Amino acid sequence: HVRIGGKEYCGGKIIFSGEPWGRRTIILECSCPHLGLCYVLKDYYRQLALRYDEGDLVCHIHADGFVPGVVRLMSQEDVMDGEEPMMSGEGLERRLRRRFLMADSGSKLTEANSVNDLLKAIYDALEGACHAGHYTRSNTDRSFQCIGHSLCIAKFSIAI
């Protein structure tokens, strides 16, 4: 069982598990029994030295309406250890544990049913990256690349 936004989600199926020495990202596909819906929960450790916050970026992308190819963030919060947020590392490697509740799930690009579906998913990913580019225009090319790699694709997900 995982709690976020005051609600409990259960029956999680791991759809992605990152390397233990990195951000330790875990993505679960979960259900909410009282609503009968399926959601995606993402837990990860955000490096505090980064210039952007993934949750803020996703909210910014959808600020003027739904953008195909980018997941919709329903809730985000710091994961707490009692009264304090969970932290890891020191100095520039200091990380804060975050949790997202997302309204969209997907599958790997390699599991597309047709070339047409694959091309649609890639187009959606590029459109989302363009919106992210407006958000990070003043940052370096390297930080834009990092943001582009962290986008979650709604119809088909790219795991990098």
Side-chain angles (χ1 to χ4, degrees), residues 62 66-71 121 123-125 127-128 151-156:
H62 291 297
F66 176 70
V67 175
V70 181
V71 296
Y123 178 85
D124 287 348
E127 186 176 8
L151 289 174
C152 299
I153 307 309
K155 185 161 183 165
F156 298 98

Side-chain angles (χ1 to χ4, degrees), residues 46 50-58 60-61 126-151:
R46 176 182 176 267
L50 292 177
R51 294 183 180 183
Y52 71 94
D53 179 272
E54 185 178 355
D56 292 343
L57 174 63
V58 172
H60 174 79
I61 290 171
L126 292 172
E127 186 176 8
C130 287
H131 284 274
H134 291 297
Y135 180 72
T136 61
R137 193 166 292 229
S138 63
N139 293 346
T140 65
D141 289 342
R142 186 171 183 271
S143 64
F144 173 75
Q145 289 174 337
C146 292
I147 290 171
H149 289 304
S150 71
L151 289 174

Side-chain angles (χ1 to χ4, degrees), residues 4-141:
I4 183 170
K7 294 183 182 156
E8 190 169 281
Y9 298 84
C10 59
K13 177 179 100 175
I14 295 175
I15 57 177
F16 177 81
S17 178
E19 299 295 332
W21 52 84
R23 292 186 182 138
R24 293 181 257 177
T25 301
I26 294 184
I27 302 177
L28 303 168
E29 194 171 65
C30 298
S31 61
C32 184
H34 61 279
L35 296 176
L37 300 172
C38 189
Y39 298 100
V40 175
L41 289 165
K42 177 180 179 180
D43 265 25
Y44 74 106
Y45 280 85
R46 176 182 176 267
Q47 189 172 351
L48 297 176
L50 292 177
R51 294 183 180 183
Y52 71 94
D53 179 272
E54 185 178 355
D56 292 343
L57 174 63
V58 172
C59 291
H60 174 79
I61 290 171
H62 291 297
D64 295 329
F66 176 70
V67 175
V70 181
V71 296
R72 293 167 292 157
L73 188 60
M74 297 176 62
S75 182
Q76 62 177 320
E77 62 185 36
D78 298 340
V79 177
M80 305 300 282
D81 182 14
E83 295 292 318
E84 299 291 320
M86 291 183 86
M87 303 290 276
S88 172
E90 296 177 15
L92 292 176
E93 292 299 316
R94 190 95 171 129
R95 296 173 186 264
L96 169 68
R97 187 168 179 190
R98 301 279 294 149
R99 182 169 292 150
F100 292 162
L101 175 64
M102 299 177 285
D104 305 297
S105 66
S107 56
K108 294 179 182 178
L109 285 172
T110 56
E111 297 174 359
N113 293 325
S114 68
V115 173
N116 190 37
D117 285 346
L118 177 64
L119 292 174
K120 286 179 186 176
I122 291 171
Y123 178 85
D124 287 348
L126 292 172
E127 186 176 8
C130 287
H131 284 274
H134 291 297
Y135 180 72
T136 61
R137 193 166 292 229
S138 63
N139 293 346
T140 65
D141 289 342

